[in-house]
């Protein structure tokens, strides 16, 4: 039986287990390498998932298309039937699921198996999704009791990064090895980075208290950080019941920015890219941040601790170690958002472990 140990809730216990999750998920390295070596010719990749697993899939899309160039789609499992005619024998469908039993994903798998190769990335080893595909990767997050996914999201991303790293190594000789080494080195440092992030929970409690009674939140980011904004928005909705929306930073200016007025909180996930890199579109994100501020919005920025420009432009700055390679920002910048959602839920007197209307797995249609 899972116990809460020194924690009052499974959700915060499982967020604090994330450094250990990093260690456990990295054990899949050899299995991922073996699977990638067996895939053969892949002309297109199609991720299929729901909820938080869908956001993990989007990180995979950005990485694969930016680093390798294989056309990659992410399809919500319940909408998959409308895309079946695009699948070919050289398509790889990748099913991401914590439970491995989500009805929408299982239904999509039945269709995919008739047309293309299937791979699953799941947290439950003997789940249906794990047993019914050509290849399966286990995330080794351990059992996750909190209804809202936290450590399982980190574990899914680690397996996706491993998949991308070995795919990169196999796909383009020279750059491939350089990017492979860069991702693997970043993953080797990830446990320590997350351990450093967790203590910022104290300052996040104050931000949670300040914004616990607002009617809505916006989460903005660009590029590789956009799925992180989506995940932060979902976390907040799931456990605090505050309406939240996420937008790609550039898209926010095409309409939704009209909703900004004094005091509306806007979380901006804005890792600073290395010179000549635009994985997270830092400069363009800063422009959107300034536009939000000019309209009276409260900007809660998640950025680098040495980013003086960001500090001067933000209402609140939740800052992370500048040594974190921006290529793994999805694995680190999401942790403050998980903590923010958890503490807003507590500040509202809610039970983050068992949010109303939600279940850990929607196993029936
Ligand atoms: C929802 C859960 O029911 O299903 C989410 O509340 C989860 O946390 C989603 O992301 C997908 O579940 P799974 O098990 O397929 O990842």
């Amino acid at each position: 039986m899972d116990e809460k140990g020194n924690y009052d809730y499974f959700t915060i216990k499982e967020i604090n287990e994330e450094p250990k999750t990093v260690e456990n998920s990295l054990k899949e390295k050899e299995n991922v390498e073996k699977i990638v070596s067996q895939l053969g010719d892949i002309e297109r990749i199609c991720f299929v998932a729901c909820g938080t697993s869908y956001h993990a899939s989007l990180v995979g899309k950005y990485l694969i298309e930016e680093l390798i160039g294989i056309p990659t789609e992410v399809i919500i499992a319940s909408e998959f039937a409308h895309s079946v005619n695009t699948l070919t024998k050289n398509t790889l469908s990748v099913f991401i699921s914590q439970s491995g039993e989500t009805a929408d994903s299982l239904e999509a798998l039945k269709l995919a198996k008739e047309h293309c190769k299937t791979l699953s990335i799941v947290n439950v080893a003997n789940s249906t999704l794990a047993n019914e595909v050509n290849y399966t990767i286990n995330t080794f997050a351990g059992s996750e009791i909190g209804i809202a996914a936290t450590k399982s999201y980190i574990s899914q991303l680690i397996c996706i990064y491993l998949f991308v790293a070995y795919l990169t190594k196999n796909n383009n000789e020279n750059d491939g090895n350089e990017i492979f080494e860069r991702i693997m080195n970043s993953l080797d440092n990830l446990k320590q980075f997350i351990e450093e992030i967790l203590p910022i929970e104290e300052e996040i409690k104050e931000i949670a208290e300040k914004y616990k009674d607002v009617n809505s939140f916006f989460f903005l980011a660009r590029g590789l950080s956009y799925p992180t904004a989506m995940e932060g928005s979902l976390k907040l909705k799931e456990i605090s019941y505050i309406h939240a929306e996420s937008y790609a930073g550039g898209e926010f200016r095409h309409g939704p920015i009209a909703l900004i007025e004094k005091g509306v909180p806007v979380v901006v996930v804005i890792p600073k890219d290395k010179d000549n890199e635009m994985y997270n579109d830092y400069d363009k994100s800063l422009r959107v941040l300034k536009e939000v501020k000019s309209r009276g919005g409260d900007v809660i920025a998640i950025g680098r601790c040495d980013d003086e420009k960001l500090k001067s432009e933000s209402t609140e700055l939740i800052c992370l170690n500048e040594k974190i390679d921006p290529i793994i920002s999805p694995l680190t910048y999401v942790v403050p958002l998980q903590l923010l959602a958890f503490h807003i839920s507590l500040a509202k007197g809610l039970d983050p472990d068992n949010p109303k209307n939600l279940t850990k797995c929607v196993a029936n249609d």
Side-chain angles (χ1 to χ4, degrees):
M1 174 62 184
D2 281 85
E3 288 311 317
K4 294 177 191 148
N6 301 330
Y7 300 94
D8 293 333
Y9 296 94
F10 284 110
T11 303
I12 191 65
K13 171 174 179 269
E14 287 153 3
I15 292 171
N16 280 276
E17 287 174 346
E18 287 173 357
K20 186 64 184 161
T21 299
V22 171
E23 254 178 37
N24 294 337
S25 303
L26 286 175
K27 287 174 188 163
E28 269 298 73
K29 225 178 259 185
E30 282 171 30
N31 181 38
V32 174
E33 182 179 21
K34 181 164 70 60
I35 289 171
V36 169
S37 69
Q38 295 169 344
L39 286 176
D41 185 25
I42 300 292
E43 290 170 0
R44 180 168 168 261
I45 294 174
C46 189
F47 285 95
V48 186
C50 310
T52 293
S53 301
Y54 171 77
H55 298 152
S57 304
L58 284 169
V59 173
K61 168 185 169 63
Y62 276 98
L63 290 171
I64 292 167
E65 292 195 334
E66 292 237 30
L67 300 177
I68 308 171
I70 299 174
T72 302
E73 291 236 20
V74 182
I75 301 178
I76 293 171
S78 54
E79 295 292 315
F80 184 74
H82 304 289
S83 302
V84 167
N85 294 335
T86 68
L87 305 175
T88 70
K89 64 177 175 37
N90 291 330
T91 301
L92 174 68
S93 56
V94 183
F95 288 79
I96 299 191
S97 173
Q98 188 283 130
S99 64
E101 301 297 346
T102 296
D104 291 337
S105 299
L106 296 182
E107 204 167 308
L109 176 62
K110 277 200 199 95
L111 297 170
K113 284 173 76 169
E114 295 163 21
H115 299 272
C116 65
K117 300 167 194 167
T118 56
L119 161 67
S120 71
I121 299 180
V122 293
N123 191 37
V124 180
N126 57 356
S127 61
T128 307
L129 255 184
N131 293 325
E132 309 255 325
V133 290
N134 301 117
Y135 309 96
T136 191
I137 294 169
N138 189 324
T139 58
F140 288 115
S143 67
E144 185 175 66
I145 309 300
I147 296 276
T150 51
K151 65 174 182 174
S152 63
Y153 180 64
I154 298 293
S155 69
Q156 289 173 343
L157 288 180
I158 289 170
C159 292
I160 287 168
Y161 271 87
L162 289 174
F163 178 67
V164 172
Y166 285 108
L167 213 52
T168 308
K169 193 173 180 184
N170 283 25
N171 270 271
N172 33 25
E173 286 318 308
N174 314 325
D175 290 356
N177 284 317
E178 188 185 317
I179 292 170
F180 173 80
E181 292 305 330
R182 181 174 172 186
I183 291 176
M184 300 311 265
N185 291 337
S186 299
L187 291 177
D188 288 343
N189 297 323
L190 178 61
K191 178 174 186 244
Q192 168 212 334
F193 284 135
I194 294 182
E195 282 168 344
E196 280 174 13
I197 294 168
L198 291 170
I200 60 176
E201 180 177 1
E202 289 316 306
E203 66 185 87
I204 286 178
K205 280 179 188 169
E206 290 169 33
I207 296 174
E209 187 56 37
K210 180 176 173 186
Y211 292 103
K212 69 181 192 302
D213 297 320
V214 298
N215 295 321
S216 66
F217 257 85
F218 292 94
F219 290 75
L220 308 183
R222 295 181 68 119
L224 190 55
S225 286
Y226 178 31
T228 304
M230 295 173 85
E231 178 57 12
S233 172
L234 178 62
K235 236 16 70 192
L236 188 69
K237 282 181 276 199
E238 282 180 315
I239 62 179
S240 78
Y241 317 143
I242 294 176
H243 178 259
E245 288 190 73
S246 58
Y247 285 95
E251 186 60 14
F252 193 58
R253 301 154 69 186
H254 302 297
I257 201 165
L259 296 174
I260 298 302
E261 52 192 34
K262 183 153 180 42
V264 171
V266 180
V267 175
V268 182
V269 182
I270 180 168
K272 199 164 188 183
D273 289 310
K274 290 187 176 180
D275 294 345
N276 313 319
E277 289 182 353
M278 290 175 56
Y279 296 129
N280 299 279
D281 278 343
Y282 175 80
D283 293 327
K284 292 178 180 175
S285 283
L286 201 55
R287 270 214 301 278
V288 176
L289 184 153
K290 288 177 180 173
E291 287 181 26
V292 168
K293 278 281 276 183
S294 68
R295 287 163 173 78
D298 278 12
V299 171
I300 303 171
I302 321 283
R304 278 175 35 164
C305 289
D306 65 343
D307 192 338
E308 293 307 322
K309 202 188 308 181
L310 185 59
K311 208 168 279 182
S312 66
E313 292 292 345
S314 312
T315 314
E316 306 283 349
L317 172 60
I318 299 173
C319 78
L320 277 62
N321 187 331
E322 57 273 11
K323 295 189 184 68
I324 294 172
D325 187 326
I327 206 168
I328 61 159
S329 58
L331 275 159
T332 45
Y333 282 63
V334 71
V335 180
L337 302 185
Q338 295 173 338
L339 292 168
L340 181 63
F342 174 77
H343 282 290
I344 290 179
S345 176
L346 287 197
K348 294 184 72 172
L350 301 170
D351 173 3
D353 282 353
N354 300 289
K356 66 180 179 181
N357 308 335
L358 296 185
T359 59
K360 190 64 185 167
C361 166
V362 179
N364 48 15
D365 199 353

